[in-house]
Amino acid sequence: MQRKFTTIITMFIFFLVSGFTLLLPGTVMAGKAKKIVMSTATPMYPAFAEQIGINLYINSIIGLTQTHPELKDKYEFKIYDKGMLYGNQSEALEAVSNGAIQMTYSGPHFLESLDPAWKLGETPGVFENWDHYLRTMDTPAWKALHQKMAEKKGVTIIKWLFDTGTWYMFTKTGPINSLADIKGQKIRFAGGEAFAKALKSLNTTPIALPYTEVVTALQTNMIEGLLTDFTGGVGYFELPRHTKYAVVVPFGNQPICMVANTKWWNSLPEKVRGALNTPFDQIDASRFYSKFEQTSLKEWDDNPNLTAVKFDNAEVALWQKTMRTSFEDMFEKIDPELIKAIDSAR
């Protein structure tokens, strides 16, 4: 009797599981799908600076995993943002390097941890604009740097995607009529040797802070200003409430790329890599950032409670020359072929 009861229970469980499998065929496939894990320290929504553009590419990949025959039911794209896995992008990049996750985005100031040559990527005055940057990345010397990083550090740059926007100085202390008026001010920057040197050369005190501490630091006078952009920083930090002066002297640009763990990326079938590359090949977010920057700058300029500080060409040249002089010792440590390539691509 007990054996018969056991048989009945076993058959019941079998049919129950079979029924769920028929009702939810995707359940089994989902279990077999290979995960592609991407992590970002900043929130995807609300959009934060570079995340406006990153969203375009990520959402496209998520859609492709639902529809593309090379990806559907085979790959699941999982995005962790808001520091759920790693507290900052440097940690996320390291995780890609050691294979803990498959993908993240990056910029030159994060890539510095893998090769000091990337200091050139955002050094003020090095690149004229986004097009100049892309031409430089396509030169043999810089292609070799990409390959070296892939082989030695395990990080492959899938593609340089867009320029988030120009870095400017925003400060609550003024008026600012010349370079002398910012002397001694405590200015926050996101990180990187180049920006630290640039700020020191202008006789300010550079303070590296995570983005989460900027508003509090402004309110408590820990800092008097910061370097950021019109495309994300102005809105995210609510700068019209904290900084009256926007100094329209370019401090550099913000190139953004998508990176992947080299071993994982190279292990993918060619058709799968091609499918994942589709958004990177077809979407151009740079136009959005360029238009957004110009519109935001005009809004700031038109606001009677704010001041967009604009200098004549001679004063701008003075600021830029002062900053460039501070980089000379940094350039001595970098392969001269990389610097020649930058000049050849102008």
Side-chain angles (χ1 to χ4, degrees):
M1 183 71 178
Q2 184 176 359
R3 182 180 301 175
K4 183 177 180 181
F5 178 76
T6 302
T7 302
I8 293 173
I9 292 297
T10 301
M11 291 180 65
F12 175 77
I13 294 173
F14 171 78
F15 285 117
L16 183 65
V17 172
S18 299
F20 273 116
T21 301
L22 290 173
L23 290 171
L24 302 171
T27 303
V28 176
M29 290 305 298
K32 295 180 180 179
K34 297 178 181 178
K35 279 191 176 182
I36 303 173
V37 177
M38 177 175 175
S39 175
T40 75
T42 50
M44 298 296 288
Y45 290 100
F48 170 78
E50 63 270 16
Q51 297 295 12
I52 298 171
I54 294 296
N55 274 324
L56 298 176
Y57 300 97
I58 297 312
N59 288 325
S60 180
I61 292 177
I62 292 173
L64 284 173
T65 60
Q66 305 300 313
T67 59
H68 197 289
E70 296 296 333
L71 302 176
K72 185 179 179 180
D73 296 328
K74 301 174 185 177
Y75 293 89
E76 177 188 1
F77 191 84
K78 184 68 175 177
I79 177 76
Y80 294 91
D81 67 342
K82 302 176 184 176
M84 293 172 65
L85 292 184
Y86 306 101
N88 56 62
Q89 281 306 116
S90 294
E91 293 178 0
L93 182 62
E94 182 180 354
V96 167
S97 179
N98 62 35
I101 60 175
Q102 285 72 53
M103 296 173 64
T104 190
Y105 76 88
S106 191
H109 63 283
F110 297 120
L111 296 175
E112 284 184 35
S113 64
L114 303 180
D115 195 300
W118 288 109
K119 294 173 183 177
L120 291 167
E122 290 175 315
T123 298
V126 171
F127 293 99
E128 295 175 348
N129 50 42
W130 173 237
D131 288 337
H132 179 208
Y133 187 87
L134 289 181
R135 291 194 300 271
T136 301
M137 295 302 104
D138 201 37
T139 61
W142 283 86
K143 283 184 177 180
L145 178 63
H146 284 67
Q147 187 63 29
K148 174 186 173 183
M149 190 170 67
E151 294 175 354
K152 302 295 184 181
K153 302 297 184 178
V155 175
T156 291
I157 294 178
I158 300 175
K159 190 168 185 177
W160 287 99
L161 300 175
F162 54 85
D163 175 9
T164 307
T166 306
W167 288 94
Y168 298 110
M169 181 184 292
F170 295 81
T171 177
K172 59 183 181 179
T173 304
I176 299 170
N177 298 311
S178 68
L179 180 55
D181 292 328
I182 62 166
K183 182 178 180 179
Q185 290 197 33
K186 296 169 289 186
I187 305 297
R188 178 263 181 181
F189 69 111
E193 182 182 4
F195 281 99
K197 284 180 174 290
L199 288 170
K200 285 182 180 179
S201 73
L202 300 177
N203 292 316
T204 67
T205 301
I207 298 178
L209 285 176
Y211 74 95
T212 52
E213 298 179 18
V214 168
V215 174
T216 299
L218 284 169
Q219 292 173 334
T220 59
N221 295 319
M222 179 182 177
I223 59 175
E224 293 161 275
L226 68 154
L227 297 181
T228 192
D229 49 62
F230 277 101
T231 53
V234 166
Y236 184 83
F237 298 125
E238 297 184 335
L239 291 189
R241 295 177 55 191
H242 306 290
T243 59
K244 177 181 179 180
Y245 303 96
V247 185
V248 192
V249 174
F251 272 75
N253 299 98
Q254 304 178 75
I256 296 295
C257 62
M258 189 67 70
V259 302
N261 174 265
T262 300
K263 184 176 180 180
W264 168 77
W265 185 251
N266 291 341
S267 72
L268 294 174
E270 185 176 349
K271 289 184 178 180
V272 172
R273 282 201 307 272
L276 292 173
N277 260 320
T278 300
F280 308 133
D281 290 338
Q282 296 182 357
I283 298 174
D284 181 7
S286 289
R287 298 178 187 176
F288 167 80
Y289 284 100
S290 178
K291 183 178 180 179
F292 191 5
E293 177 175 296
Q294 294 304 313
T295 300
S296 299
L297 177 55
K298 186 177 186 305
E299 290 175 354
W300 189 287
D301 201 22
D302 291 343
N303 189 326
N305 298 316
L306 303 173
T307 301
V309 182
K310 300 174 183 177
F311 299 116
D312 58 28
N313 292 337
E315 183 69 15
V316 172
L318 174 61
W319 284 54
Q320 293 180 335
K321 180 181 178 181
T322 302
M323 288 189 284
R324 280 196 299 269
T325 301
S326 71
F327 307 139
E328 292 177 355
D329 63 329
M330 188 175 77
F331 291 167
E332 291 175 358
K333 305 172 186 177
I334 295 174
D335 182 354
E337 292 301 315
L338 293 171
I339 300 174
K340 289 180 183 178
I342 293 171
D343 292 331
S344 69
R346 291 189 187 280

